[in-house]
Amino acid sequence: MCGIIGYIGGKQAAPVLIDGLKRMEYRGYDSAGIALINDDGKVDLRKRKGRVSVMASEIEADRFPAHMGIGHTRWATHGGVTDANAHPHTSSCGRFIMVHNGIIENYENMRSFLAGKGYTFSSETDSEALVNLISYHYDERTVDGAADRFMESVRKALLHVEGTYGIAVISPLYPNEIIVARKGSPLLIGIGNGERLVASDVSGFAGRAQNVIYLEDGQLACVKKDFCDIITNGKQEVECVIKEIDWELETAELGSYRHFMQKEIFEQRKAIENAIRGRISDDMSTAILSGLNMSANELRQIDRILFCACGTAWHACLVAEYLIEKYARIPVEVEYASEFRYSNPPLDKNTLVFVISQSGETIDTLEALREAKRKGFKTLAITNVVGSTIARESDGGLYQYSGKEVGVASTKAFTSQIVICLLIALYFGRMRDLSFSDGREIVEAIKSLPDLIDETLKQAPKVEQIAKKYAKYPDFLFLGRLEEYPIALEGALKLKEISYIHAEGYPAAEMKHGPIALVCPECPTVIFANSGEIFHKVISNAKEIGARNGPVIMITDSPESIDEGLADDIIAIPKSHSSVRTVLSTIPIQMLAYYIAVARGCDVDKPRNLAKSVTVE
Ligand code: F6R
């Protein structure tokens, strides 16, 4: 989603801003721009629809000397993808220039108020209303005092905003400062040596800052090259909390891989090893989850668990439901984070609320967390991004340590989330009815996972062949039962998002109640048929598809038990304990989606319309 960058210091700002924007490209965007203020106060502004490189080619040609500026990658919300709608936006007087992430819900009222005062607009965006409102407060002198008149104008304007924002504002009248503020959209201040950066994502700092200040909701900062002042929107001074950036966690290079998604699929062994490291008890029968910040006594009081998330992370919650109900016998409910906030479901007082978010910045998930906190529930988070807003605002939680995930389609983060949910199931289970030996069996299964993942990844050449065979098909069905039902949903989502093929996931037996109408020679079905009590039921479902001439791609740990002719293609996964099997079942559907997208010539890491971190509702 939109990315913000800003620089003030001794270096030439344009290359720093462009580099920062390129580092944040993975977030997803459709246009880019930068604005620079030269030492003599002259403003240079370039913005173009399309890739950062399109806009950057013009900048490089002009070689701007400015030492401060702001930049933006836009993911369109209000108004189409045009040069005019790209950020930065300038107030009609030309003295204030702003980049904005988020949505200003009352922008139409703002625009008509400002139009009545003679302000003009050159874009269809909500953001342009805000930069003009800043100008209004400046001109109308609704702000007192001269020294911080710029920051005060921003603060006053923000008091009128309904919605969310992360903003960076500059003005040729104040060439030595950048004003930033946030409510709902992330905003970070990077501290370098005699220079400051601002960004919506630590990767925008591109190794240039060693320390970071995370601005909190309702805070504004005046950033200068060697210090910054932070206040609340109620004008209270705020002490700067400076954190060190762990660049090892924040860096990801493509290496010999063609795409980040491919790399991240193949990194799953390491990601899972990181997720379990230090989290298994010495007697190998339970998990150690000190990050939950809850005593054994508190945890024993829990009667119900609610999970909230979006997209792929929501699928991880569904797997968690199966695992926790099976091993810990605690009832689990799963809600879309976006629905939870407004549906206001009744919750028992002994409910524990978990949110799952790879980025830790998804606004729907963050608001679900805040809603649960507001109601007084203990809220825990599973996130991958250290220091993210969700990680900071939850009462406790577990970091995934999957390493940076750059590909828009989540892969290694998903399987790590599943493993962490299994650790939670084990932990709660061992506090209740799960025996020592059952606990040890699960621990052994978890410890065997890295090798089993490697074995599963060896299927890549076969999956690639299958992908080439089906790459032109217009529709896919994904079917799985029990804990493989969420993996069927995930398979359909992965395929949709990166190859733009229509796909649907269902519980295998549910297929007869409607989706079977789709089955035909042009609609392949990917079906999970793994050993266990429902193996034969799933085989019957596969036969029903074959009888209607639907191609069957079967993912199974028991290829030896599949009758000749039952499946058109078989992807074998290793046999494993049922507690960890979803991890292995996931890998073939990730590879299938990846190779199909490659065969179709799609931009795998930057699929159309999608954003890595969804910071608008
Ligand atoms: C799909 C995908 C999205 C995210 C969703 C939540 O591949 O990546 O569906 O899972 O936007 O994102 P996080 O986990 O960052 O909250």
Side-chain angles (χ1 to χ4, degrees):
M1 202 135 281
C2 303
I4 286 179
I5 185 79
Y7 175 82
I8 184 159
K11 298 200 182 78
Q12 212 186 329
V16 178
L17 297 177
I18 288 164
D19 189 29
L21 289 180
K22 284 189 173 158
R23 304 269 173 169
M24 292 190 290
E25 277 192 306
Y26 78 98
R27 294 166 65 92
Y29 71 102
D30 43 55
S31 41
I34 66 170
L36 301 154
I37 297 181
N38 292 282
D39 295 348
D40 61 1
K42 183 175 157 282
V43 175
D44 282 307
L45 191 148
R46 294 286 186 281
K47 51 184 191 173
R48 287 283 173 267
K49 66 177 181 184
R51 294 276 177 232
V52 172
S53 52
V54 174
M55 182 269 301
S57 57
E58 296 182 20
I59 306 289
E60 270 153 27
D62 291 2
R63 292 179 202 279
F64 294 117
H67 296 109
M68 74 95 84
I70 53 175
H72 192 260
T73 44
R74 174 177 187 247
W75 186 85
T77 58
H78 294 63
V81 180
T82 62
D83 291 348
N85 288 338
H87 295 218
H89 288 288
T90 308
S91 59
S92 52
C93 63
R95 286 172 302 166
F96 298 96
I97 305 147
M98 186 188 80
V99 291
H100 166 229
N101 291 354
I103 290 181
I104 297 165
E105 288 164 8
N106 57 335
Y107 80 103
E108 279 171 341
N109 290 346
M110 266 185 206
R111 272 176 92 117
S112 45
F113 167 78
L114 291 163
K117 304 268 176 205
Y119 288 79
T120 56
F121 300 92
S122 53
S123 79
E124 303 155 278
T125 64
D126 51 340
S127 314
E128 199 185 2
L130 179 57
V131 71
N132 276 298
L133 195 65
I134 292 169
S135 167
Y136 166 79
H137 282 283
Y138 193 86
D139 287 341
E140 291 298 308
R141 295 187 175 271
T142 64
V143 293
D144 24 315
D148 60 353
R149 191 169 152 204
F150 179 21
M151 189 164 178
E152 263 298 274
S153 310
V154 176
R155 189 184 73 83
K156 286 259 171 140
L158 290 176
L159 295 178
H160 297 277
V161 172
E162 286 165 27
T164 54
Y165 54 80
I167 56 167
V169 197
I170 54 175
S171 167
L173 304 175
Y174 298 85
N176 299 318
E177 58 196 72
I178 304 175
I179 306 295
V180 293
R182 82 160 267 181
K183 183 183 154 213
S185 294
L187 210 300
L188 288 57
I189 302 165
I191 304 172
N193 199 0
E195 55 188 4
R196 294 284 182 278
L197 293 103
V198 299
S200 46
D201 178 334
V202 79
S203 56
F205 298 151
R208 289 191 165 86
Q210 293 75 46
N211 294 299
V212 63
I213 298 167
Y214 294 95
L215 214 60
E216 301 293 345
D217 273 0
Q219 294 181 347
L220 293 87
C222 174
V223 182
K224 300 198 174 178
K225 73 178 164 83
D226 37 23
F227 72 93
C228 67
D229 287 329
I230 306 181
I231 56 165
T232 65
N233 53 17
K235 259 192 125 172
Q236 302 290 319
E237 273 180 33
V238 175
E239 202 189 321
C240 296
V241 180
I242 298 174
K243 300 234 161 100
E244 203 178 324
I245 302 173
D246 184 343
W247 280 112
E248 218 170 289
L249 275 182
E250 299 299 341
T251 316
E253 302 295 337
L254 199 50
S256 56
Y257 290 95
R258 192 166 162 200
H259 298 101
F260 277 104
M261 181 179 176
Q262 182 192 25
K263 175 175 181 251
E264 286 155 10
I265 290 172
F266 280 86
E267 278 175 350
Q268 288 182 101
R269 177 193 177 104
K270 196 163 149 223
I272 300 304
E273 283 172 343
N274 289 347
I276 59 185
R277 182 166 301 120
R279 288 178 170 158
I280 301 289
S281 66
D282 287 345
D283 68 1
M284 300 273 284
S285 79
T286 188
I288 304 171
L289 303 179
S290 42
L292 299 184
N293 290 342
M294 289 174 78
S295 67
N297 198 28
E298 282 175 304
L299 289 165
R300 279 220 48 99
Q301 311 301 318
I302 300 301
D303 293 332
R304 188 168 285 275
I305 301 179
L306 172 77
F307 275 88
C308 290
C310 305
T312 287
W314 184 76
H315 297 155
C317 296
L318 293 179
V319 179
E321 181 179 6
Y322 281 100
L323 294 173
I324 294 173
E325 291 192 342
K326 184 168 170 183
Y327 296 118
R329 309 299 299 159
I330 301 174
V332 173
E333 279 168 56
V334 178
E335 293 265 0
Y336 283 113
S338 53
E339 291 292 300
F340 170 75
R341 185 175 172 200
Y342 296 103
S343 63
N344 197 22
L347 295 178
D348 293 347
K349 69 174 181 341
N350 292 335
T351 302
L352 180 61
V353 177
F354 263 102
V355 299
I356 304 186
S357 173
Q358 186 284 130
S359 63
E361 298 294 351
T362 301
I363 192 80
D364 289 322
T365 311
L366 174 62
E367 291 299 342
L369 173 103
R370 287 174 175 167
E371 176 70 2
K373 273 185 91 165
R374 198 186 55 72
K375 290 182 168 175
F377 290 97
K378 195 93 180 171
T379 54
L380 303 176
I382 299 170
T383 54
N384 192 30
V385 179
V386 174
S388 56
T389 310
I390 288 177
R392 295 201 312 277
E393 292 198 13
S394 54
D395 296 315
L398 301 167
Y399 277 123
Q400 299 179 214
Y401 302 119
S402 317
K404 192 173 177 66
E405 193 177 65
V406 176
V408 165
S410 187
T411 51
K412 62 177 179 175
F414 175 65
T415 45
S416 299
Q417 287 161 356
I418 292 178
V419 171
I420 289 172
C421 291
L422 176 58
L423 290 171
I424 294 168
L426 172 65
Y427 187 59
F428 279 103
R430 289 288 292 122
M431 293 180 85
R432 290 171 167 78
D433 300 330
L434 200 67
S435 70
F436 178 78
S437 60
D438 287 344
R440 284 192 78 130
E441 225 178 85
I442 294 174
V443 167
E444 266 168 39
I446 293 172
K447 297 209 105 172
S448 70
L449 255 180
D451 286 345
L452 295 177
I453 289 170
D454 276 351
E455 218 178 300
T456 311
L457 287 167
K458 286 188 190 144
Q459 295 292 320
K462 170 127 197 232
V463 179
E464 187 173 10
Q465 268 176 12
I466 297 172
K468 283 182 180 150
K469 177 171 161 190
Y470 293 106
K472 297 250 159 63
Y473 284 58
D475 298 289
F476 272 70
L477 268 178
F478 286 77
L479 303 178
R481 286 192 80 163
L482 304 178
E483 50 268 73
E484 261 138 10
Y485 158 52
I487 311 305
L489 293 176
E490 175 63 3
L493 180 67
K494 285 280 94 78
L495 189 64
K496 270 184 275 210
E497 57 184 349
I498 57 165
S499 72
Y500 320 137
I501 294 175
H502 167 244
E504 299 198 31
Y506 274 94
E510 188 63 20
M511 181 260 306
K512 299 183 294 295
H513 303 283
I516 197 166
L518 294 176
V519 170
C520 67
E522 289 76 42
C523 177
T525 297
V526 178
I527 188 162
F528 299 100
N530 289 319
S531 49
E533 55 184 338
I534 41 114
F535 177 73
H536 292 289
K537 306 273 180 204
V538 180
I539 292 298
S540 303
N541 296 141
K543 285 185 179 158
E544 287 152 12
I545 293 159
R548 286 158 184 85
N549 300 321
V552 172
I553 304 166
M554 189 170 279
I555 297 171
T556 178
D557 65 356
S558 306
E560 69 288 351
S561 309
I562 308 297
D563 291 341
E564 181 81 31
L566 176 59
D568 296 81
D569 297 280
I570 292 181
I571 305 170
I573 59 170
K575 291 204 193 315
S576 61
H577 190 268
S578 60
S579 61
V580 295
R581 200 162 49 209
T582 48
V583 173
L584 305 177
S585 300
T586 300
I587 294 171
I589 57 100
Q590 295 171 339
M591 295 196 290
L592 189 67
Y594 171 73
Y595 288 119
I596 288 181
V598 170
R600 289 166 72 92
C602 298
D603 191 348
V604 175
D605 285 334
K606 299 187 200 94
R608 75 178 175 213
N609 305 339
L610 291 183
K612 182 70 186 159
S613 169
V614 182
T615 50
V616 294
E617 269 194 73

